Amino acid sequence: MTLAQQILEGAVAKGLTVTAAESCTGGMVSAAITDIAGSSAIFERGFVTYSNRAKQDMLGVRAETLAAVGAVSEEVVREMAEGARAAAGADIAVAISGIAGPGGSEFKPEGRVCFALATARLTQAETVEYGAPGRAEVRQRARDHALSLILEAIRAA
């Protein structure tokens, strides 16, 4: 059973809804969930906020936060997750922002991806360094990690 199928079963069983705010994954998390028949019971909307402006307009990310730490940061993904949860009226929101590649810098290298998970109880964030296995691989790993975070939150609810 895929992660998305487990999310659907678990969320339905507990009456929970989920959403995703995605930057570097460009909707891959939302697509994985909505690929499963019946996902409309738990997923109403997701957010692809590739630009800083989209993060601000759609999710309420503060310009001050973006200016201070940049889009690929735990602070920004926290604001993304909280904004997505509020905008979607969801119980659980995951947010992703990263540098899938090619490119990056010495301060923010290729393969760095920040994740946040927001629930009614808390918002937690983390950074994962995937290295430089290539753009497609970073995006797939980020998608799978985000799905795992959602599943963990459902199981803990």
Side-chain angles (χ1 to χ4, degrees), residues 1-52:
M1 183 180 305
T2 68
L3 287 169
Q5 290 169 319
Q6 293 175 66
I7 287 168
L8 178 59
E9 283 189 10
V12 166
K14 293 188 176 184
L16 299 171
T17 56
V18 301
T19 191
E22 303 180 64
S23 188
C24 68
T25 49
M28 293 172 72
V29 172
S30 299
I33 294 169
T34 59
D35 277 349
I36 309 299
S39 60
S40 60
I42 66 158
F43 191 94
E44 180 183 306
R45 69 185 83 175
F47 306 88
V48 176
T49 55
Y50 212 61
S51 71
N52 287 350

Side-chain angles (χ1 to χ4, degrees), residues 21 49 51-67 69-71 73 75-84 95:
T49 55
S51 71
N52 287 350
R53 180 176 172 195
K55 289 172 182 64
Q56 293 173 275
D57 292 350
M58 297 172 70
L59 304 173
V61 173
R62 297 176 325 117
E64 298 81 10
T65 307
L66 287 161
V69 293
S73 65
E75 294 87 344
V76 166
V77 290
R78 282 177 178 275
E79 291 185 24
M80 288 172 65
E82 290 169 354

